[in-house]
Amino acid sequence: MRELVLDTETTGLDHEIGHRLVEIGIVELENHVPTGNYFHYYLNPERVSDEDALKVHGLSEEFLSNKPKFSEIVDELLEFLSDSKIIIHNASFDVGFINSELNRCNISSLNEDCVIDTLYLAKKKFLGQSVSLDSLCRRYNIDLSERDIHGALKDAKLLASVYLELIGGKQSKLDFAASDGIQ
């Protein structure tokens, strides 16, 4: 079973007023095990980032100016996503931005039936407690030492570890039926 853990960075908090994606990172899992395959792009948003967003991701207008536009990577993104389950923390935020970019390209929105929101899973599991990505990483002893600023691929990798813990830990599924002659 193929699942994709996705995160984005943006120029601000609201795609409805024209904020855009500046980075997208996706980590592939196969049967709940990271495969080492990933999808990652910095994107030219064709606008400046809000000051608060810039403090979060640190991706300057100058750095992003020569990066591809979303429309230049959209076919590769859709091919990578295929019909896999997509794991996102606070999915409405990232999906809103991705769908806004897809709409700019005259492409249909993501099928939200394929999306699993880890924020929802965490809120159910830890009622009334902080369920930010940082909080969940601390709860599960996932190393945050390299996360001085947010990055889509870095955060997708962290979220993959959190997701595996949320669904029951890192153990791979045991297949007792495949045991040699044991009855």
Side-chain angles (χ1 to χ4, degrees):
M1 169 182 62
R2 183 176 188 251
E3 296 171 302
L4 302 172
V5 184
L6 180 148
D7 189 55
T8 64
E9 299 300 331
T10 64
T11 62
L13 295 177
D14 192 348
H15 63 86
E16 291 183 6
I17 61 170
H19 287 288
R20 308 280 305 269
L21 293 176
V22 295
E23 184 182 12
I24 187 165
I26 306 172
V27 174
E28 181 184 62
L29 304 175
E30 186 68 46
N31 296 321
H32 305 306
V33 177
T35 65
N37 293 333
Y38 63 91
F39 179 93
H40 179 245
Y41 275 100
Y42 294 107
L43 300 167
N44 179 348
E46 302 179 276
R47 66 162 292 159
V48 298
S49 289
D50 282 358
E51 190 175 316
D52 289 339
L54 188 57
K55 287 177 186 174
V56 170
H57 56 64
L59 301 173
S60 69
E61 183 179 7
E62 180 182 355
F63 174 78
L64 296 170
S65 66
N66 66 348
K67 303 303 183 232
K69 296 175 181 86
F70 184 85
S71 61
E72 296 169 348
I73 62 103
V74 67
D75 291 337
E76 187 179 346
L77 170 65
L78 293 174
E79 184 177 324
F80 191 81
L81 292 176
S82 64
D83 60 352
S84 299
K85 287 282 184 196
I86 304 169
I87 316 305
I88 306 173
H89 197 72
N90 193 11
S92 62
F93 181 83
D94 298 270
V95 169
F97 273 91
I98 292 169
N99 284 340
S100 179
E101 296 287 356
L102 290 171
N103 291 336
R104 279 187 177 90
C105 298
N106 295 314
I107 296 173
S108 299
S109 297
L110 291 178
N111 176 1
E112 294 188 44
D113 292 339
C114 293
V115 175
I116 297 171
D117 190 343
T118 54
L119 183 62
Y120 174 77
L121 296 177
K123 281 182 175 183
K124 278 180 47 178
K125 191 168 188 168
F126 304 112
L127 291 173
Q129 299 176 45
S130 175
V131 290
S132 68
L133 182 57
D134 284 352
S135 296
L136 292 168
C137 285
R138 284 190 290 276
R139 174 179 296 280
Y140 290 122
N141 296 315
I142 296 167
D143 184 10
L144 286 168
S145 63
E146 308 244 340
R147 190 176 187 242
D148 48 341
I149 60 171
H150 290 238
L153 186 59
K154 183 187 322 181
D155 289 357
K157 289 177 181 178
L158 290 172
L159 181 56
S161 296
V162 165
Y163 171 65
L164 294 175
E165 293 293 344
L166 281 170
I167 62 170
K170 296 178 187 170
Q171 312 92 338
S172 58
K173 293 182 179 178
L174 298 175
D175 185 2
F176 292 109
S179 298
D180 290 331
I182 301 175
Q183 300 188 9

